[in-house]
């Protein structure tokens, strides 16, 4: 993944703690990863934790935050 770097996980964790995020959409980029990585100019020593571990950490540390792929429909009875 491109969001599983340790520094990005730390930033995401702080963002979730500081906001009222209730849904994080996880999507694939549908882009050539080699090209994308060359555009990021990330340091070669960047440490990744892996998307599976990132998702498991999100679920463990933020159990009230839903993880999704599509926008869920609004429940009009709550409006």
């Amino acid at each position: 993944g491109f969001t599983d770097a340790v520094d990005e996980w730390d930033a995401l964790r702080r963002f979730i703690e500081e906001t009222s995020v209730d849904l994080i959409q996880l999507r694939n980029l549908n882009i050539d990863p080699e090209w994308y990585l060359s555009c990021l100019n990330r340091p070669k020593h960047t440490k990744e934790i892996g998307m599976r571990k990132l998702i498991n950490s999100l679920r463990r540390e933020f159990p009230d935050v839903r993880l999704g792929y599509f926008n869920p429909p609004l429940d009009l009875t709550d409006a």
Side-chain angles (χ1 to χ4, degrees):
F2 296 105
T3 57
D4 64 336
V6 172
D7 57 339
E8 291 185 32
W9 164 238
D10 291 338
L12 178 60
R13 182 186 295 128
R14 284 191 307 273
F15 179 77
I16 294 169
E17 289 170 348
E18 294 171 2
T19 64
S20 59
V21 170
D22 62 358
L23 171 67
I24 297 175
Q25 293 185 352
L26 304 172
R27 297 182 180 188
N28 60 356
L29 294 175
N30 289 324
I31 194 169
D32 179 1
E34 297 296 327
W35 177 83
Y36 185 69
L37 285 172
S38 72
C39 293
L40 290 178
N41 295 321
R42 292 180 58 113
K44 299 224 184 278
H45 62 277
T46 300
K47 181 174 168 53
E48 288 86 15
I49 61 174
M51 289 304 293
R52 182 168 294 166
K53 184 174 179 180
L54 176 88
I55 291 168
N56 288 338
S57 296
L58 278 168
R59 287 182 173 146
R60 182 180 59 253
E61 292 188 36
F62 304 100
D64 294 332
V65 175
R66 294 179 297 152
L67 304 178
Y69 188 78
F70 296 102
N71 293 341
L74 292 175
D75 184 357
L76 298 179
T77 59
D78 291 339

